[in-house]
């Protein structure tokens, strides 16, 4: 495993850190490969009861690495110009987890980064956290569950607004709309999240995992259909409309508008 994903195990907590801080932990090919591998390993580790996912400051994850995509389209995409986010492996940014996964959102969580957050069991946010879905700005469609999980968190009307505008929610707004469970001062994010993890660890772990399985089962029919629809729509869109040669121009526009919004 490369150093773009750091893994630490202590006190029965596995901590996964996305570690490309110089590019706000953007999802390059190495990170997209190593993140699911790290999560799978921790889910199978008998010394781990809870997993925390966070980013190396100053960001949680800025989404797909558009610079890599623009400079190496042949290596970064599948045949037909398809986005690397539409992949044949199991759905989502990491494999199905039997253990609780807490997202500790320390900064911006954008597009693919937002999808990583949404795939966690629940979220604790730093007061520096910012959230946005910019798929429509980039010209790609989500395939890591955003159209299923975002409306589940904030309601379908707010989800539609976020996805069609690309505008940011700050931490307080994310708490107001139910996207995150708690907002804490930045320097308290990891200690607070670890304490929540320890609260979970203090319970019967077979009961905890059965509870997560039950929550999944109660919504399985609608969620399964939603995931399949999203993947089909994303695949169709990327096959006919995704053009890696446009990514560089889009990236510049996104960065300019994003800087203006998070000042």
């Amino acid at each position: 495993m490369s150093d773009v994903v750091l893994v630490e195990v202590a006190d029965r907590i596995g901590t996964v850190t996305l570690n490309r801080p110089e590019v706000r932990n953007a999802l390059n090919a190495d990170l997209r490969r190593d993140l699911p591998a790290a999560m799978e390993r921790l889910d199978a580790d008998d010394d781990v009861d809870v997993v925390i996912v966070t980013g190396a400051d100053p960001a949680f994850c800025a989404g797909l690495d558009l610079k890599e995509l623009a400079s190496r389209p042949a290596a970064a995409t599948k045949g037909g110009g398809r986005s690397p986010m539409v992949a044949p492996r199991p759905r989502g940014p990491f494999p199905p987890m039997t253990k609780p996964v807490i997202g500790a959102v320390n900064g911006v969580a954008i597009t693919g980064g937002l999808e990583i957050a949404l795939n966690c069991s629940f979220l604790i946010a730093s007061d520096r956290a910012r959230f946005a879905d910019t798929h429509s700005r980039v010209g790609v469609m989500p395939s890591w569950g955003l159209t299923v999980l975002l409306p589940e968190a904030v309601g379908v009307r707010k989800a539609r607004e976020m996805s069609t505008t690309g505008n940011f929610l700050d931490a307080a707004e994310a708490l107001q709309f139910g996207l995150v469970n708690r907002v804490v001062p930045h320097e308290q994010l990891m200690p607070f999240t670890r304490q929540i993890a320890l609260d979970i660890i203090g319970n019967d772990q077979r009961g905890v995992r059965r509870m997560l399985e039950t929550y999944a089962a109660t919504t399985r029919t609608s969620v399964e259909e939603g995931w399949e629809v999203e993947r089909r729509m994303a695949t169709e869109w990327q096959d006919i409309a995704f053009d890696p040669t446009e990514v560089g121009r889009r990236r510049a526009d996104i960065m300019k508008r994003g800087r203006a919004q998070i000042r």
Side-chain angles (χ1 to χ4, degrees):
M1 187 170 294
S2 66
D3 59 2
V4 299
V5 175
L6 304 181
V7 178
E8 178 186 6
V9 175
D11 303 320
R12 305 199 64 80
I13 302 169
T15 302
V16 176
T17 304
L18 311 182
N19 188 43
R20 302 185 70 218
E22 71 283 359
V23 290
R24 299 194 172 196
N25 305 317
L27 295 162
N28 69 349
D30 289 342
L31 202 158
R32 297 195 309 272
R33 177 196 65 218
D34 289 355
L35 176 59
M39 299 296 285
E40 184 174 31
R41 188 175 73 187
L42 290 173
D43 201 52
D45 190 338
D46 291 338
D47 292 327
V48 173
D49 289 327
V50 178
V51 178
I52 296 173
V53 178
T54 192
D57 279 342
F60 181 75
C61 177
L64 189 62
D65 189 334
L66 299 180
K67 185 175 181 179
E68 177 188 72
L69 194 59
S71 62
R72 300 169 55 207
T77 60
K78 302 293 183 182
R82 182 175 299 174
S83 164
M85 304 295 279
V86 182
R89 70 164 186 262
R91 69 191 190 192
F94 33 81
M97 301 288 289
T98 64
K99 301 172 182 178
V101 179
I102 308 174
V105 185
N106 57 304
V108 293
I110 305 172
T111 310
L114 176 58
E115 290 189 286
I116 291 174
L118 288 167
N119 276 272
C120 296
S121 304
F122 58 87
L123 302 175
I124 310 297
S126 155
D127 54 9
R128 300 180 189 175
R130 303 289 186 272
F131 302 85
D133 175 24
T134 61
H135 279 98
S136 58
R137 293 187 191 175
V138 184
V140 300
M141 293 295 107
S143 63
W144 278 358
L146 182 135
T147 59
V148 176
L149 300 173
L150 185 58
E152 180 181 77
V154 303
V156 68
R157 293 184 183 278
K158 189 62 180 177
R160 287 173 183 157
E161 177 191 330
M162 290 180 66
S163 294
T164 56
T165 65
N167 290 340
F168 281 79
L169 290 184
D170 63 23
E173 291 172 314
L175 181 63
Q176 174 189 349
F177 284 103
L179 180 57
V180 304
N181 295 67
R182 307 286 185 94
V183 176
V184 299
H186 185 74
E187 63 274 9
Q188 291 298 313
L189 176 63
M190 292 309 295
F192 185 90
T193 304
R194 288 185 62 84
Q195 184 56 58
I196 294 292
L198 290 172
D199 291 342
I200 295 171
I201 291 167
N203 294 325
D204 177 80
Q205 291 309 297
R206 290 189 303 173
V208 167
R209 294 170 197 177
R210 185 64 172 179
M211 186 66 74
L212 290 179
E213 185 181 1
T214 303
Y215 270 112
T218 58
T219 58
R220 183 164 292 158
T221 300
S222 61
V223 168
E224 290 288 343
E225 292 175 354
W227 278 89
E228 290 306 314
V229 169
E230 181 183 89
R231 179 169 293 278
R232 175 174 56 81
M233 298 290 283
T235 301
E236 290 175 357
W237 172 261
Q238 307 306 357
D239 282 344
I240 64 174
F242 181 71
D243 182 1
T245 63
E246 288 290 299
V247 170
R249 177 187 60 77
R250 293 168 180 162
R251 176 173 176 266
D253 291 343
I254 291 166
M255 292 175 66
K256 180 179 178 181
R257 185 173 176 184
R259 282 193 295 265
Q261 286 189 310
I262 62 176
R263 284 174 184 164

